[in-house]
């Protein structure tokens, strides 16, 4: 706990909370200053004033990095709730256009479908909302939301899971290059994502459940790598059927890998007005995502 005398103000100023969250989000004072187009000294002053107001140390600082203290972690939640409430009040009582900052993530197999068009429409409707996009694997994005490095993410889940809010359900299919055929009694050559990928788990569970031998011939952390390996004839992959990449076709003769579900997961705490509007735009545009196949690149 800090021992310096506290600032007696009963109100946490928006500028102080914004600077605090920028340091938390970017990992440093210099990066936060760049992110907010302010001087580093201004950011430092804001954090020092906020620490005086709380009477607590919010960041541990050394020559290499800054890290949140337990009080700082608590302040992250409070700061977001305060700024969200201020944004909601401003949207209710004024005619000022919606503003804010959203850190949004999307799994790679969905980001090049109709989703960019939805995001473009959202940006055109709310030009004052800053939107940061992070593309990755479902497990990575879930962790970033859980650890408050992302505000919102559109990712997959297994039907048995209750993580996030359902947007749409999609059957998984086996996919290969045009004309791909499965050789009876031969091991299935499998192209897949690494680790605990949902489609990887579904593929392996289906093959093992049917007693079929298989061999993993390629592992790639990127959609482009998966597509390239399948196009090269290295094997087949499991993929959501409605967003099957152009140039790949469903392959018959293999056990049903079941469905997957696309869900929105969000950080802890009340959503900002901007987040609520983005969630609504994605839900309203779900059919655009499902009808938009990946383009050839």
């Amino acid at each position: 706990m800090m021992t310096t005398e506290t600032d007696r103000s009963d109100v946490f100023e928006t500028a102080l909370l914004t600077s605090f969250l920028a340091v938390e989000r970017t990992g440093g004072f210099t990066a936060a200053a760049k992110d907010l187009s302010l001087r580093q000294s201004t950011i430092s002053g804001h954090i020092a004033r906020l620490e005086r107001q709380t009477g607590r140390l919010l960041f541990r600082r050394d020559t290499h990095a800054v890290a949140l203290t337990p009080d700082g972690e608590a302040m992250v939640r409070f700061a977001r709730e305060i700024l969200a409430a201020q944004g909601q009040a401003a949207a209710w009582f004024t005619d000022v256009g919606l503003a804010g900052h959203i850190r949004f993530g999307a799994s790679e197999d969905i980001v090049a479908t109709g989703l960019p068009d939805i995001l473009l429409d959202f940006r055109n409707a709310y030009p004052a909302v800053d939107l940061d996009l992070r593309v990755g694997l479902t497990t990575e994005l879930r962790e970033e939301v859980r650890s408050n490095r992302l505000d919102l993410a559109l990712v997959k889940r297994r039907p048995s899971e209750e993580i996030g809010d359902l947007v749409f359900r999609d059957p998984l299919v086996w996919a290969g290059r045009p004309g791909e055929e499965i050789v009876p009694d031969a091991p299935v050559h499998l192209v897949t994502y690494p680790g605990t990928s949902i489609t990887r788990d579904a593929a392996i569970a289906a093959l093992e459940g049917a007693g079929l031998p298989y061999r993993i011939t390629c592992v790639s952390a990127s959609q482009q790598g998966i597509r390239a390996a399948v196009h090269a004839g290295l094997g087949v992959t499991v993929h959501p059927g409605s967003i099957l990449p152009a140039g790949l076709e469903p392959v018959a003769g293999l056990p049903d890998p079941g469905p997957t579900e696309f869900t929105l997961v969000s950080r802890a705490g009340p959503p900002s007005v901007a987040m609520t509007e983005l969630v609504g735009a994605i839900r309203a545009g779900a059919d655009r995502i499902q009808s938009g196949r990946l383009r050839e690149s």
Side-chain angles (χ1 to χ4, degrees):
M1 179 180 293
M2 294 183 68
T3 58
T4 57
E5 183 178 355
T6 60
D7 186 320
R8 297 301 181 185
S9 172
D10 294 328
V11 178
F12 294 123
E13 297 176 29
T14 299
L16 308 189
L17 298 178
T18 300
S19 292
F20 170 75
L21 290 179
V23 175
E24 182 271 335
R25 180 174 68 249
T26 63
F29 286 69
T30 301
K34 182 177 180 180
D35 186 63
L36 297 179
S37 300
L38 296 173
R39 293 182 178 180
Q40 183 176 337
S41 59
T42 301
I43 298 293
S44 298
H46 285 173
I47 301 305
R49 183 170 177 183
L50 188 60
E51 289 181 328
R52 288 196 301 271
Q53 285 186 337
T54 61
R56 305 295 178 88
L57 188 68
L58 302 177
F59 290 107
R60 294 190 184 92
R61 306 160 174 84
D62 58 34
T63 56
H64 302 291
V66 297
L68 288 168
T69 65
D71 289 316
E73 292 175 356
M75 178 54 80
V76 169
R77 182 176 73 256
F78 296 138
R80 285 177 175 153
E81 291 176 356
I82 292 168
L83 293 178
Q86 289 177 341
Q88 290 167 350
W92 181 271
F93 291 111
T94 73
D95 294 326
V96 177
L98 185 65
H101 182 270
I102 305 175
R103 301 166 298 172
F104 176 64
S107 56
E108 190 179 12
D109 52 6
I110 201 171
V111 78
T113 61
L115 181 60
D117 291 334
I118 295 172
L119 298 181
L120 177 60
D121 288 347
F122 180 82
R123 291 282 291 126
N124 288 337
Y126 306 110
V129 175
D130 293 327
L131 187 64
D132 291 342
L133 177 63
R134 162 87 163 86
V135 179
L137 301 178
T138 287
T139 52
E140 297 172 348
L141 297 175
R142 282 182 183 175
E143 173 58 25
E144 294 205 15
V145 170
R146 190 196 66 79
S147 59
N148 291 321
R149 293 193 297 272
L150 286 176
D151 299 308
L152 182 71
L154 179 60
V155 295
K156 296 189 293 295
R157 75 178 179 193
R158 299 169 181 84
S160 60
E161 294 179 308
E162 297 182 356
I163 300 173
D165 298 317
L166 180 65
V167 178
F168 65 89
R169 206 168 201 244
D170 202 25
L172 294 170
V173 299
W174 291 94
R177 62 180 178 173
E180 184 78 41
E181 295 183 358
I182 300 301
V183 179
D185 301 322
V188 176
H189 289 182
L190 182 60
V191 176
T192 184
Y193 288 105
T196 56
S197 159
I198 288 176
T199 53
R200 175 191 176 110
D201 289 351
I204 291 175
L207 293 172
E208 291 183 347
L212 295 178
Y214 65 91
R215 182 163 68 89
I216 296 176
T217 54
C218 178
V219 175
S220 174
S222 74
Q223 178 75 32
Q224 288 286 68
I226 296 289
R227 292 176 64 194
V230 173
H231 276 296
L234 296 184
V236 294
T237 192
V238 162
H239 198 280
S242 71
I243 55 173
L244 195 63
L248 300 188
E249 296 181 356
V251 175
L254 291 173
D256 183 6
T260 190
E261 295 176 342
F262 284 90
T263 65
L264 283 165
V265 293
S266 56
R267 58 163 173 75
S272 66
V273 177
M275 282 177 60
T276 300
E277 291 297 324
L278 180 56
V279 167
I282 291 171
R283 287 191 173 282
D287 59 334
R288 298 170 68 184
I289 297 174
Q290 292 179 275
S291 64
R293 289 166 59 96
L294 291 171
R295 305 176 182 88
E296 290 283 12
S297 59

